[in-house]
Amino acid sequence: MPTWTQEQVLALAPDASSVAAGRKLASPAPWSSIGVTETPAAVWGLCAGSGKNPYATVVDLSGPAYSCTCPSRKFPCKHALGLLLLWAAGQVPPADAPADFAATWLDARAARAQKAPAAAPDPEAATRRA
């Protein structure tokens, strides 16, 4: 599975402090249950944080879209950036299927995408914009 470059990952960061924090998490030490699949195109992992439970982080690579149980309001959060940097460095092993926590989020995301009706173009709105 092709990976992204470090530059592509860092271009997703919302600000410079997120870049710095993401780089600190781009080592295998705080991560467990990491993996990547081609179908669905996703990478996931559990990151040890300051709390009792690790943060469950999932990235849908087709979006990209991010999910993390951390309280950050930044998207992507430092955990998603760290996980993507780890993947870009070739340090995330391929898996046959996503971990349960990742599969739950990915399945819900796919279900929402199927339910969303395709927006039909509004000819009146197009005329007003022109």
Side-chain angles (χ1 to χ4, degrees):
M1 166 178 239
T3 59
W4 299 344
T5 65
Q6 183 179 34
E7 291 76 23
Q8 288 172 307
V9 172
L10 296 177
L12 300 170
D15 54 35
S17 65
S18 295
V19 169
R23 283 188 170 149
K24 287 180 184 176
L25 294 173
S27 72
W31 293 97
S32 62
S33 299
I34 60 174
V36 61
T37 54
E38 213 166 305
T39 306
V43 62
W44 63 87
L46 298 174
C47 186
S50 58
K52 177 180 154 187
N53 297 320
Y55 297 121
T57 308
V58 187
V59 179
D60 178 344
L61 299 170
S62 65
Y66 322 94
S67 173
C68 186
T69 57
C70 76
S72 177
R73 291 192 215 173
K74 295 181 181 181
F75 290 96
C77 68
K78 65 184 181 181
H79 305 100
L81 291 170
L83 181 59
L84 286 169
L85 288 169
L86 196 61
W87 173 62
Q91 296 183 11
V92 175
D96 293 330
D100 288 344
F101 69 90
T104 299
W105 181 75
L106 292 165
D107 291 346
R109 183 169 160 71
R112 282 190 306 274
Q114 287 180 348
K115 285 183 182 178
D122 182 355
E124 290 179 24
T127 301
R128 285 191 303 263
R129 284 191 299 269

